[in-house]
Amino acid sequence: AAEGYGLAFSKKGRDGSGKATLIAATSLRTYGVVFHISTDDLRQLDQIEGRGRGYERMSEFPVQTEGEGSSRLTATTYISGAPHIDDNLRPFDWYLDLVVHGARQNDLPSSHIEAIAETEHAVDPDPERRERLEALRVLELAKRNG
């Protein structure tokens, strides 16, 4: 869990929708998943996550693991800065579905998943958008594989 941060869909996406980012708020706590990756893979992840194009890499980001053997550790995450934030944006339906499914797949707390699922969203006006079609394929594969 990341203490003092909440999840928002206010990062300006190239498609005009809101993308996920963490926002600092002392009264909030958000949940996520920690993965181990190599330094070489981190460079590739920078490209995929849009480092320098709306997201900045935050190294030494403090998190608290939960469950048996919980501990404090530092992780790397990507957070959007003020010039790339618009609180009026909404995520597209398919993007929100990806986030909700990922939260379920990784057994995040049900209250957190419910809060994400209740996020106001918009229907993507472009049913042929490449990112939408890719997201739908990923969701279908994930549903088939459990």
Side-chain angles (χ1 to χ4, degrees), residues 24-37:
T26 55
S27 63
L28 296 178
R29 165 191 256 191
T30 198
Y31 297 87
V33 181
V34 177
F35 296 95
H36 294 276
I37 63 171

Side-chain angles (χ1 to χ4, degrees), residues 6-145:
L7 178 65
F9 292 91
S10 55
K11 191 263 181 193
K12 297 175 190 173
R14 290 179 298 179
D15 58 13
S17 71
K19 304 301 183 196
T21 190
L22 295 176
I23 54 166
T26 55
S27 63
L28 296 178
R29 165 191 256 191
T30 198
Y31 297 87
V33 181
V34 177
F35 296 95
H36 294 276
I37 63 171
S38 72
T39 303
D40 290 339
D41 290 339
L42 187 59
R43 285 188 222 108
Q44 184 178 6
L45 188 60
D46 283 346
Q47 288 183 315
I48 292 167
E49 290 297 332
R51 182 178 184 201
R53 298 183 319 273
Y55 286 113
E56 293 307 321
R57 183 183 344 139
M58 303 290 293
S59 298
E60 303 297 318
F61 188 80
V63 295
Q64 176 73 41
T65 63
E66 297 197 352
E68 190 174 320
S70 68
S71 63
R72 292 198 58 75
L73 55 95
T74 57
T76 296
T77 192
Y78 295 84
I79 297 178
S80 187
H84 303 282
I85 297 291
D86 180 345
D87 291 328
N88 296 311
L89 293 174
R90 301 292 172 255
F92 284 145
D93 48 355
W94 55 265
Y95 182 83
L96 185 63
D97 284 348
L98 275 178
V99 176
V100 169
H101 187 79
R104 284 186 183 132
Q105 186 177 27
N106 288 284
D107 296 321
L108 297 185
S110 59
S111 60
H112 184 65
I113 295 169
E114 290 168 17
I116 296 169
E118 292 173 3
T119 300
E120 189 176 324
H121 60 277
V123 174
D124 190 341
D126 180 0
E128 299 302 315
R129 188 180 312 277
R130 182 180 55 84
E131 293 87 354
R132 176 184 177 276
L133 297 175
E134 288 175 9
L136 294 175
R137 279 193 292 274
V138 167
L139 284 168
E140 184 59 34
L141 284 172
K143 289 175 186 174
R144 275 193 239 150
N145 295 327

